[in-house]
Amino acid sequence: VGRTFYYPRNVAEYRFLVTGSMDDTYRVFVISNGQEQAVTPEISAAQPGFVNVRLDMDRLNSTISEVVVRNISRNPVIESRFPQA
């Protein structure tokens, strides 16, 4: 036919604003089927005192019930939980 067809990708985005700085260390987990699984996030600067934590949708294969972000540079560790519907 000689035509190119484009199909929309999943438009959901896992991006979360959390307390911290670019100098902090973060551990990010997804909860799927009751199991906690470590994932590698992309961290970017946000407004002062915060960063954006983004997860690559292409690397997540299962249904996610919750995302957990831990800033392990702080004492005590700052844990942010984001339930997913």
Side-chain angles (χ1 to χ4, degrees):
V1 176
R3 294 174 39 178
T4 303
F5 294 94
Y6 296 94
Y7 297 93
R9 290 180 33 169
N10 186 347
V11 294
E13 182 177 36
Y14 287 113
R15 183 174 52 179
F16 308 97
L17 185 67
V18 298
T19 302
S21 74
M22 290 297 293
D23 295 325
D24 292 343
T25 301
Y26 301 89
R27 297 286 184 260
V28 180
F29 303 88
V30 294
I31 309 297
S32 178
N33 296 322
Q35 300 294 318
E36 189 173 89
Q37 174 185 345
V39 293
T40 303
E42 294 177 20
I43 307 291
S44 61
Q47 65 253 31
F50 294 89
V51 295
N52 282 308
V53 175
R54 183 179 174 277
L55 305 182
D56 185 352
M57 290 295 297
D58 293 331
R59 302 186 94 182
L60 302 173
N61 305 358
S62 58
T63 303
I64 296 170
S65 60
E66 189 171 25
V67 176
V68 180
V69 179
R70 294 184 182 118
N71 181 338
I72 63 170
S73 294
R74 304 296 171 102
N75 189 6
V77 169
I78 298 173
E79 181 175 274
S80 302
R81 291 184 165 266
F82 302 93
Q84 303 300 298

Coordinates of all heavy atoms in Angstrom, one line a residue:
V1 N 0.8 -1.2 0.0 CA 0.0 0.0 0.0 C 0.9 1.3 0.0 O 0.4 2.3 -0.5 CB -1.0 0.0 1.2 CG1 -1.8 1.2 1.3 CG2 -1.8 -1.2 1.2
G2 N 2.1 1.2 0.6 CA 3.0 2.3 0.5 C 2.7 3.4 1.6 O 3.2 4.5 1.5
R3 N 1.9 3.0 2.6 CA 1.6 4.0 3.6 C 2.2 3.6 5.0 O 2.4 2.4 5.2 CB 0.1 4.1 3.8 CG -0.6 4.7 2.6 CD -2.0 4.7 2.6 NE -2.7 5.0 3.8 CZ -4.0 5.1 4.0 NH1 -4.8 4.9 2.9 NH2 -4.5 5.4 5.1
T4 N 2.6 4.5 5.8 CA 3.1 4.3 7.1 C 2.0 4.5 8.1 O 1.4 5.6 8.1 CB 4.3 5.2 7.4 OG1 5.3 5.0 6.4 CG2 4.9 4.9 8.7
F5 N 1.8 3.5 9.0 CA 0.8 3.7 10.0 C 1.5 3.9 11.4 O 2.5 3.2 11.6 CB -0.1 2.4 10.1 CG -0.9 2.2 8.8 CD1 -0.4 1.5 7.8 CD2 -2.1 2.9 8.7 CE1 -1.2 1.3 6.7 CE2 -2.9 2.7 7.6 CZ -2.4 1.9 6.5
Y6 N 1.0 4.8 12.2 CA 1.5 5.0 13.5 C 0.4 4.7 14.5 O -0.8 5.0 14.3 CB 1.9 6.5 13.6 CG 3.0 6.9 12.7 CD1 2.7 7.5 11.5 CD2 4.3 6.7 13.1 CE1 3.8 7.8 10.6 CE2 5.4 7.0 12.3 CZ 5.1 7.6 11.0 OH 6.1 7.9 10.2
Y7 N 0.8 4.0 15.6 CA -0.1 3.6 16.6 C 0.4 4.3 17.9 O 1.6 4.3 18.2 CB -0.1 2.1 16.8 CG -0.6 1.4 15.5 CD1 0.3 1.0 14.6 CD2 -2.0 1.3 15.3 CE1 -0.2 0.4 13.4 CE2 -2.4 0.7 14.2 CZ -1.5 0.2 13.2 OH -2.0 -0.4 12.1
P8 N -0.6 4.8 18.7 CA -0.2 5.4 20.0 C 0.4 4.4 21.0 O -0.1 3.3 21.0 CB -1.5 6.0 20.5 CG -2.6 5.2 19.8 CD -2.0 4.8 18.5
R9 N 1.4 4.8 21.7 CA 1.9 4.0 22.8 C 1.1 4.2 24.0 O 0.3 5.1 24.1 CB 3.4 4.5 23.1 CG 4.3 4.1 22.0 CD 5.7 4.6 22.3 NE 5.9 4.5 23.7 CZ 7.1 4.6 24.3 NH1 8.1 4.8 23.6 NH2 7.2 4.5 25.6
N10 N 1.4 3.4 25.0 CA 0.7 3.6 26.3 C 1.1 5.0 26.8 O 2.3 5.3 26.9 CB 1.2 2.6 27.3 CG 0.5 2.6 28.6 OD1 -0.2 3.6 28.9 ND2 0.7 1.6 29.4
V11 N 0.2 5.9 27.0 CA 0.5 7.3 27.4 C 0.7 7.5 28.9 O 1.0 8.6 29.3 CB -0.6 8.3 26.8 CG1 -0.6 8.3 25.3 CG2 -2.0 7.9 27.4
A12 N 0.5 6.5 29.7 CA 0.7 6.6 31.1 C 2.2 6.9 31.3 O 3.1 6.4 30.6 CB 0.3 5.3 31.8
E13 N 2.5 7.7 32.3 CA 3.9 8.0 32.6 C 4.0 7.9 34.1 O 3.2 8.4 34.9 CB 4.2 9.4 32.2 CG 5.7 9.8 32.5 CD 6.1 11.1 31.9 OE1 5.2 12.0 32.0 OE2 7.2 11.2 31.5
Y14 N 5.0 7.2 34.6 CA 5.4 7.1 36.0 C 6.4 8.2 36.3 O 7.6 8.0 36.1 CB 5.9 5.7 36.3 CG 4.8 4.7 36.3 CD1 4.8 3.7 35.4 CD2 3.8 4.7 37.3 CE1 3.8 2.7 35.3 CE2 2.8 3.7 37.2 CZ 2.8 2.7 36.3 OH 1.9 1.7 36.3
R15 N 5.9 9.3 36.8 CA 6.8 10.4 37.2 C 6.3 11.0 38.5 O 5.1 11.3 38.6 CB 6.8 11.5 36.1 CG 7.8 12.6 36.5 CD 8.0 13.6 35.4 NE 6.6 14.1 35.0 CZ 6.5 15.0 34.1 NH1 7.5 15.5 33.4 NH2 5.3 15.5 33.8
F16 N 7.2 11.1 39.5 CA 6.8 11.5 40.8 C 7.7 12.6 41.3 O 8.9 12.5 41.2 CB 6.9 10.3 41.7 CG 6.2 9.1 41.2 CD1 6.8 8.1 40.5 CD2 4.8 9.0 41.3 CE1 6.1 7.0 39.9 CE2 4.1 7.9 40.8 CZ 4.8 6.9 40.1
L17 N 7.1 13.5 42.0 CA 7.9 14.6 42.7 C 8.2 14.2 44.1 O 7.2 13.9 44.9 CB 7.0 15.9 42.6 CG 7.7 17.1 43.2 CD1 8.8 17.6 42.2 CD2 6.7 18.3 43.2
V18 N 9.4 14.1 44.5 CA 9.8 13.7 45.8 C 10.8 14.7 46.5 O 11.5 15.4 45.7 CB 10.4 12.3 45.9 CG1 9.4 11.3 45.4 CG2 11.7 12.2 45.1
T19 N 10.8 14.7 47.8 CA 11.7 15.6 48.5 C 13.2 15.1 48.3 O 13.4 13.9 48.4 CB 11.4 15.6 50.0 OG1 10.0 16.0 50.2 CG2 12.3 16.5 50.8
G20 N 14.1 16.1 48.1 CA 15.5 15.7 47.9 C 16.2 16.6 47.0 O 15.7 17.6 46.5
S21 N 17.4 16.3 46.7 CA 18.3 17.0 45.8 C 18.9 16.1 44.8 O 18.9 14.9 45.0 CB 19.3 17.9 46.5 OG 20.3 17.0 47.0
M22 N 19.6 16.7 43.8 CA 20.3 15.9 42.8 C 21.5 15.2 43.4 O 22.0 14.2 42.8 CB 20.7 16.7 41.6 CG 19.5 17.2 40.7 SD 18.7 15.9 39.9 CE 19.9 15.3 38.8
D23 N 22.0 15.6 44.5 CA 23.1 15.0 45.2 C 22.8 13.8 46.0 O 23.6 13.1 46.5 CB 23.8 16.1 46.1 CG 24.4 17.2 45.3 OD1 24.9 17.0 44.1 OD2 24.4 18.4 45.7
D24 N 21.5 13.6 46.3 CA 21.0 12.5 47.1 C 21.0 11.2 46.3 O 21.0 11.2 45.1 CB 19.6 12.8 47.7 CG 19.6 13.9 48.7 OD1 20.7 14.3 49.2 OD2 18.5 14.4 48.9
T25 N 20.9 10.1 47.0 CA 20.9 8.8 46.4 C 19.5 8.2 46.6 O 19.0 8.2 47.8 CB 21.9 7.8 47.0 OG1 23.2 8.4 46.8 CG2 21.9 6.4 46.4
Y26 N 18.9 7.7 45.6 CA 17.5 7.2 45.6 C 17.5 5.7 45.3 O 18.2 5.2 44.4 CB 16.6 7.9 44.7 CG 16.6 9.4 45.0 CD1 17.5 10.3 44.4 CD2 15.7 10.0 45.9 CE1 17.5 11.6 44.7 CE2 15.6 11.3 46.2 CZ 16.6 12.1 45.6 OH 16.6 13.5 45.9
R27 N 16.6 5.0 45.9 CA 16.3 3.6 45.6 C 14.8 3.6 45.3 O 14.0 4.1 46.0 CB 16.6 2.6 46.7 CG 18.0 2.6 47.1 CD 18.9 1.8 46.1 NE 20.2 1.7 46.6 CZ 21.2 2.5 46.1 NH1 21.0 3.4 45.3 NH2 22.5 2.3 46.6
V28 N 14.5 3.0 44.1 CA 13.1 3.0 43.7 C 12.6 1.5 43.5 O 13.4 0.7 42.9 CB 12.9 3.8 42.4 CG1 11.5 3.8 41.9 CG2 13.4 5.2 42.6
F29 N 11.4 1.3 43.9 CA 10.8 -0.1 43.8 C 9.4 0.0 43.3 O 8.7 1.0 43.5 CB 10.8 -0.7 45.2 CG 12.1 -0.8 45.8 CD1 12.6 0.2 46.6 CD2 13.0 -1.9 45.7 CE1 13.9 0.2 47.2 CE2 14.2 -2.0 46.3 CZ 14.7 -0.9 47.0
V30 N 9.0 -1.0 42.5 CA 7.6 -1.2 42.2 C 7.1 -2.4 42.9 O 7.8 -3.3 43.1 CB 7.4 -1.3 40.6 CG1 7.8 0.0 39.9 CG2 8.2 -2.5 40.1
I31 N 5.8 -2.3 43.3 CA 5.1 -3.4 43.9 C 4.2 -4.0 42.9 O 3.4 -3.3 42.3 CB 4.3 -3.0 45.2 CG1 5.1 -2.1 46.1 CG2 3.7 -4.2 45.9 CD1 6.3 -2.8 46.7
S32 N 4.5 -5.3 42.6 CA 3.7 -6.0 41.6 C 3.4 -7.4 42.2 O 4.3 -8.1 42.6 CB 4.4 -6.1 40.3 OG 3.7 -6.8 39.4
N33 N 2.1 -7.8 42.2 CA 1.7 -9.1 42.8 C 2.3 -9.3 44.2 O 2.7 -10.4 44.6 CB 2.2 -10.2 41.9 CG 1.5 -10.2 40.5 OD1 0.4 -9.9 40.4 ND2 2.3 -10.5 39.5
G34 N 2.3 -8.2 45.0 CA 2.7 -8.3 46.4 C 4.2 -8.3 46.6 O 4.7 -8.4 47.7
Q35 N 5.0 -8.3 45.5 CA 6.4 -8.4 45.5 C 7.1 -7.1 45.2 O 6.7 -6.4 44.3 CB 7.0 -9.4 44.6 CG 6.4 -10.8 44.8 CD 6.9 -11.4 46.1 OE1 8.1 -11.3 46.4 NE2 6.0 -12.1 46.8
E36 N 8.1 -6.7 46.0 CA 8.8 -5.5 45.8 C 10.0 -5.8 44.8 O 10.8 -6.7 45.0 CB 9.4 -4.9 47.1 CG 10.0 -3.6 47.0 CD 10.4 -3.0 48.4 OE1 11.5 -3.3 48.8 OE2 9.5 -2.4 49.0
Q37 N 10.1 -5.0 43.7 CA 11.1 -5.2 42.7 C 11.8 -3.9 42.5 O 11.2 -2.8 42.2 CB 10.4 -5.7 41.4 CG 11.3 -5.8 40.2 CD 10.6 -6.1 39.0 OE1 9.4 -6.6 39.0 NE2 11.2 -6.0 37.8
A38 N 13.2 -3.9 42.5 CA 14.0 -2.7 42.3 C 13.9 -2.3 40.8 O 13.9 -3.2 39.9 CB 15.4 -2.9 42.7
V39 N 13.9 -1.0 40.6 CA 13.9 -0.5 39.2 C 14.9 0.7 39.2 O 15.2 1.3 40.2 CB 12.5 0.0 38.7 CG1 11.6 -1.2 38.6 CG2 11.9 1.0 39.6
T40 N 15.4 1.0 38.0 CA 16.3 2.1 37.8 C 15.6 3.3 37.3 O 15.0 3.3 36.2 CB 17.4 1.7 36.8 OG1 18.1 0.5 37.2 CG2 18.4 2.8 36.6
P41 N 15.6 4.4 38.1 CA 14.8 5.6 37.7 C 15.7 6.6 36.9 O 17.0 6.4 37.0 CB 14.4 6.1 39.0 CG 15.6 5.8 39.9 CD 16.1 4.5 39.4
E42 N 15.1 7.5 36.3 CA 15.8 8.7 35.8 C 15.4 9.8 36.8 O 14.3 10.0 37.2 CB 15.2 9.1 34.5 CG 15.6 8.1 33.4 CD 15.0 8.5 32.0 OE1 14.6 9.7 31.8 OE2 14.8 7.6 31.2
I43 N 16.4 10.5 37.3 CA 16.3 11.6 38.3 C 16.6 12.9 37.6 O 17.6 13.0 37.0 CB 17.2 11.4 39.5 CG1 17.1 10.0 40.1 CG2 16.9 12.5 40.6 CD1 15.7 9.7 40.8
S44 N 15.7 13.9 37.8 CA 15.9 15.2 37.3 C 15.6 16.3 38.3 O 14.7 16.0 39.2 CB 15.2 15.4 35.9 OG 13.8 15.3 36.2
A45 N 16.2 17.4 38.2 CA 15.9 18.5 39.1 C 14.5 19.0 38.9 O 14.0 19.1 37.8 CB 16.9 19.6 38.9
A46 N 13.9 19.4 40.0 CA 12.6 20.1 40.0 C 12.8 21.4 40.8 O 13.9 21.9 40.8 CB 11.5 19.2 40.7
Q47 N 11.7 21.9 41.4 CA 11.8 23.1 42.2 C 12.8 22.9 43.3 O 13.0 21.7 43.7 CB 10.5 23.7 42.6 CG 9.7 22.8 43.6 CD 8.6 22.1 42.9 OE1 8.6 21.8 41.8 NE2 7.5 21.8 43.7
P48 N 13.4 23.9 43.9 CA 14.3 23.7 45.0 C 13.7 22.8 46.1 O 12.6 23.0 46.5 CB 14.5 25.1 45.6 CG 14.3 26.0 44.4 CD 13.2 25.3 43.6
G49 N 14.5 21.8 46.5 CA 14.1 20.9 47.6 C 13.4 19.6 47.1 O 13.0 18.8 47.9
F50 N 13.3 19.5 45.7 CA 12.6 18.4 45.2 C 13.3 17.9 43.9 O 14.0 18.6 43.2 CB 11.1 18.8 44.8 CG 10.3 19.1 46.0 CD1 10.2 20.4 46.4 CD2 9.5 18.1 46.6 CE1 9.4 20.7 47.5 CE2 8.8 18.4 47.7 CZ 8.7 19.7 48.2
V51 N 13.0 16.6 43.6 CA 13.5 16.1 42.3 C 12.3 15.3 41.7 O 11.3 15.0 42.3 CB 14.7 15.1 42.5 CG1 15.9 15.8 43.0 CG2 14.3 13.9 43.3
N52 N 12.4 15.1 40.3 CA 11.4 14.3 39.6 C 12.0 12.9 39.5 O 13.2 12.8 39.1 CB 11.1 14.8 38.2 CG 10.2 16.0 38.3 OD1 9.1 15.9 38.9 ND2 10.5 17.1 37.6
V53 N 11.3 11.9 39.8 CA 11.7 10.5 39.6 C 10.8 9.9 38.6 O 9.6 9.9 38.7 CB 11.5 9.7 41.0 CG1 11.9 8.2 40.7 CG2 12.4 10.3 42.1
R54 N 11.5 9.5 37.5 CA 10.7 9.0 36.3 C 11.1 7.5 36.1 O 12.3 7.2 36.1 CB 11.0 9.8 35.1 CG 10.2 9.4 33.9 CD 10.5 10.3 32.7 NE 9.8 9.7 31.5 CZ 10.3 8.8 30.7 NH1 11.5 8.2 31.0 NH2 9.6 8.3 29.7
L55 N 10.1 6.7 35.8 CA 10.4 5.3 35.4 C 10.1 5.1 34.0 O 9.1 5.6 33.4 CB 9.5 4.4 36.3 CG 9.6 4.5 37.8 CD1 8.7 3.5 38.5 CD2 11.0 4.4 38.3
D56 N 10.9 4.3 33.3 CA 10.8 4.0 31.9 C 9.6 3.0 31.7 O 9.8 1.8 32.1 CB 12.1 3.5 31.3 CG 12.1 3.3 29.8 OD1 11.0 3.4 29.2 OD2 13.1 3.0 29.3
M57 N 8.5 3.4 31.1 CA 7.4 2.5 30.9 C 7.8 1.3 30.0 O 7.2 0.2 30.2 CB 6.3 3.3 30.1 CG 5.6 4.3 31.0 SD 4.7 3.7 32.4 CE 3.5 2.7 31.6
D58 N 8.7 1.5 29.1 CA 9.1 0.3 28.3 C 9.8 -0.8 29.0 O 9.9 -1.9 28.5 CB 10.0 0.8 27.1 CG 9.3 1.7 26.2 OD1 8.0 1.6 26.0 OD2 9.9 2.6 25.6
R59 N 10.3 -0.5 30.2 CA 11.0 -1.5 31.0 C 10.1 -2.2 32.0 O 10.6 -3.1 32.7 CB 12.2 -0.9 31.6 CG 13.1 -0.3 30.5 CD 14.4 0.2 31.1 NE 15.3 -0.9 31.0 CZ 16.5 -0.9 31.4 NH1 17.0 0.1 32.1 NH2 17.3 -1.9 31.2
L60 N 8.9 -1.7 32.2 CA 8.0 -2.3 33.2 C 7.0 -3.2 32.5 O 6.2 -2.8 31.6 CB 7.3 -1.2 33.9 CG 8.2 -0.1 34.6 CD1 7.3 1.0 35.1 CD2 9.0 -0.8 35.7
N61 N 7.0 -4.5 32.8 CA 6.2 -5.5 32.1 C 5.0 -5.9 32.9 O 4.2 -6.7 32.3 CB 7.1 -6.8 31.9 CG 8.4 -6.5 31.2 OD1 8.6 -5.3 30.8 ND2 9.2 -7.5 31.0
S62 N 4.8 -5.5 34.1 CA 3.7 -6.1 34.8 C 2.8 -5.0 35.4 O 3.1 -3.8 35.4 CB 4.2 -7.0 36.0 OG 5.1 -6.2 36.8
T63 N 1.7 -5.4 36.0 CA 0.8 -4.5 36.6 C 1.4 -4.0 37.9 O 1.9 -4.8 38.7 CB -0.6 -5.2 36.9 OG1 -1.1 -5.7 35.7 CG2 -1.5 -4.3 37.5
I64 N 1.4 -2.7 38.1 CA 2.0 -2.2 39.3 C 1.0 -1.6 40.2 O 0.1 -0.9 39.8 CB 3.0 -1.0 38.8 CG1 4.1 -1.6 38.0 CG2 3.5 -0.3 40.0 CD1 5.0 -0.6 37.3
S65 N 1.0 -2.0 41.5 CA 0.1 -1.6 42.4 C 0.6 -0.4 43.3 O -0.2 0.4 43.8 CB -0.4 -2.7 43.4 OG 0.8 -3.2 44.1
E66 N 1.9 -0.2 43.3 CA 2.5 0.9 44.1 C 3.9 1.1 43.7 O 4.6 0.2 43.3 CB 2.5 0.5 45.6 CG 2.8 1.7 46.5 CD 2.6 1.4 48.0 OE1 2.6 0.2 48.3 OE2 2.4 2.3 48.7
V67 N 4.3 2.4 43.7 CA 5.7 2.8 43.5 C 6.3 3.3 44.8 O 5.6 4.2 45.5 CB 5.9 3.8 42.4 CG1 7.3 4.3 42.2 CG2 5.3 3.3 41.1
V68 N 7.5 2.9 45.2 CA 8.1 3.3 46.4 C 9.4 4.0 46.1 O 10.3 3.4 45.4 CB 8.3 2.1 47.4 CG1 9.0 2.6 48.7 CG2 7.0 1.4 47.7
V69 N 9.6 5.2 46.6 CA 10.9 5.9 46.3 C 11.5 6.2 47.7 O 10.8 6.7 48.6 CB 10.6 7.3 45.6 CG1 11.9 8.0 45.4 CG2 9.9 7.0 44.3
R70 N 12.7 5.8 47.9 CA 13.4 6.0 49.1 C 14.7 6.8 48.9 O 15.5 6.5 48.1 CB 13.9 4.6 49.7 CG 12.7 3.8 50.2 CD 13.1 2.5 50.9 NE 12.0 1.7 51.2 CZ 11.7 0.5 50.7 NH1 12.6 -0.1 49.9 NH2 10.6 -0.1 51.0
N71 N 14.7 7.9 49.6 CA 15.9 8.8 49.6 C 16.8 8.3 50.7 O 16.6 8.6 51.9 CB 15.5 10.3 49.8 CG 16.7 11.2 49.8 OD1 17.8 10.8 50.0 ND2 16.4 12.5 49.5
I72 N 17.8 7.5 50.4 CA 18.7 6.9 51.4 C 19.8 7.8 51.8 O 20.6 7.4 52.7 CB 19.2 5.5 50.9 CG1 20.1 5.7 49.7 CG2 18.0 4.6 50.6 CD1 20.8 4.4 49.3
S73 N 19.9 9.0 51.3 CA 20.9 9.9 51.7 C 20.5 10.6 53.0 O 21.4 11.2 53.7 CB 21.2 11.0 50.6 OG 21.8 10.3 49.5
R74 N 19.3 10.6 53.3 CA 18.7 11.3 54.5 C 18.7 10.3 55.7 O 18.5 9.1 55.5 CB 17.4 11.9 54.2 CG 17.3 12.8 53.0 CD 18.1 14.0 53.2 NE 18.3 14.8 52.0 CZ 17.6 15.9 51.8 NH1 16.7 16.4 52.6 NH2 17.8 16.6 50.7
N75 N 18.8 10.9 56.9 CA 18.8 10.1 58.1 C 17.7 10.8 59.0 O 18.0 11.9 59.5 CB 20.1 10.0 58.8 CG 20.1 9.0 59.9 OD1 19.2 8.3 60.1 ND2 21.2 9.0 60.6
P76 N 16.6 10.2 59.2 CA 16.2 8.9 58.7 C 15.9 8.9 57.2 O 15.6 10.0 56.6 CB 14.9 8.6 59.5 CG 14.3 9.9 59.8 CD 15.5 10.8 60.0
V77 N 15.8 7.7 56.6 CA 15.5 7.6 55.2 C 14.1 8.2 54.9 O 13.2 7.9 55.7 CB 15.6 6.1 54.8 CG1 15.0 5.9 53.4 CG2 17.0 5.6 54.8
I78 N 14.0 8.9 53.9 CA 12.7 9.5 53.5 C 12.0 8.5 52.5 O 12.6 8.3 51.4 CB 12.8 10.9 52.9 CG1 13.4 11.9 53.9 CG2 11.4 11.4 52.4 CD1 13.7 13.2 53.4
E79 N 10.9 8.0 52.8 CA 10.2 7.0 52.0 C 8.9 7.7 51.5 O 8.1 8.2 52.3 CB 9.9 5.7 52.7 CG 9.1 4.7 51.8 CD 8.9 3.4 52.5 OE1 9.9 2.6 52.4 OE2 7.9 3.2 53.1
S80 N 8.7 7.7 50.2 CA 7.5 8.2 49.5 C 6.8 7.0 48.8 O 7.4 6.3 48.1 CB 7.8 9.3 48.5 OG 8.5 10.4 49.2
R81 N 5.5 6.9 49.1 CA 4.7 5.8 48.5 C 3.7 6.4 47.6 O 3.0 7.3 47.9 CB 4.1 4.9 49.5 CG 5.1 4.1 50.3 CD 4.5 3.2 51.3 NE 5.5 2.2 51.8 CZ 5.6 1.0 51.2 NH1 4.9 0.6 50.2 NH2 6.5 0.2 51.7
F82 N 3.5 5.8 46.4 CA 2.6 6.3 45.4 C 1.7 5.1 44.9 O 2.1 4.4 44.0 CB 3.3 6.9 44.2 CG 4.2 8.0 44.6 CD1 5.5 7.8 44.9 CD2 3.7 9.3 44.7 CE1 6.4 8.9 45.2 CE2 4.5 10.4 45.1 CZ 5.9 10.2 45.4
P83 N 0.5 4.9 45.5 CA -0.4 3.8 45.1 C -0.9 4.1 43.7 O -1.1 5.2 43.3 CB -1.6 3.9 46.1 CG -1.0 4.7 47.2 CD 0.0 5.6 46.7
Q84 N -1.0 3.0 42.9 CA -1.4 3.1 41.5 C -2.8 2.4 41.4 O -3.0 1.3 41.9 CB -0.4 2.4 40.6 CG 1.0 3.0 40.7 CD 1.0 4.5 40.3 OE1 0.7 4.9 39.2 NE2 1.4 5.3 41.3
A85 N -3.7 3.1 40.7 CA -5.1 2.5 40.6 C -5.1 1.5 39.5 O -4.4 1.4 38.6 CB -6.1 3.6 40.3

